[in-house]
Amino acid sequence: PFPKTKCFSKPILQLAMDMDDSTGLRFPLFLTLAKSVLIGSPAQVLKLHRLHLESEIADLERKARECEALVCQQRQKLEKAVCDEAAQQATDKALAERPSTSRSR
């Protein structure tokens, strides 16, 4: 009776998941009802669950790549900061060891 397209079922399933989250129940009541109406057979429910998990994994992997890139950028900045600090310490030491050129009275 209902279209079997992803563009139709995905928003309904997302709404059902949101409703389950808002109830505080630890059982996906609304999601189960939506799946039974939209999908029908247990094999289709399992396929949808697998597809949902694959989508979540892909999102997490993308976020992990983004985070890894940020970590690399911060490590490069840290390396530069360490070099800059060492150079400044060497300059400060050289200035401190240089004889004073001020005249005595």
Side-chain angles (χ1 to χ4, degrees), residues 20-83:
D20 283 332
D21 289 343
S22 68
T23 64
L25 297 174
R26 293 185 165 234
F27 179 76
L29 174 66
F30 293 105
L31 183 59
T32 302
L33 290 172
K35 284 180 179 180
S36 67
V37 171
L38 290 173
I39 300 163
S41 78
Q44 290 174 323
V45 171
L46 291 172
K47 179 181 178 182
L48 181 64
H49 182 64
R50 177 183 54 82
L51 292 173
H52 177 72
L53 290 173
E54 288 173 351
S55 175
E56 284 185 350
I57 289 169
D59 287 344
L60 290 170
E61 288 173 338
R62 179 187 51 79
K63 289 176 185 176
R65 285 190 301 272
E66 291 171 359
C67 288
E68 186 60 34
L70 290 173
V71 167
C72 287
Q73 289 174 1
Q74 291 302 95
R75 283 188 178 138
Q76 289 173 347
K77 289 178 184 179
L78 175 61
E79 288 176 14
K80 183 182 182 319
V82 167
C83 290

Side-chain angles (χ1 to χ4, degrees), residues 91-99:
T91 300
D92 292 350
K93 183 178 179 184
L95 289 173
E97 292 174 351
R98 193 164 44 172

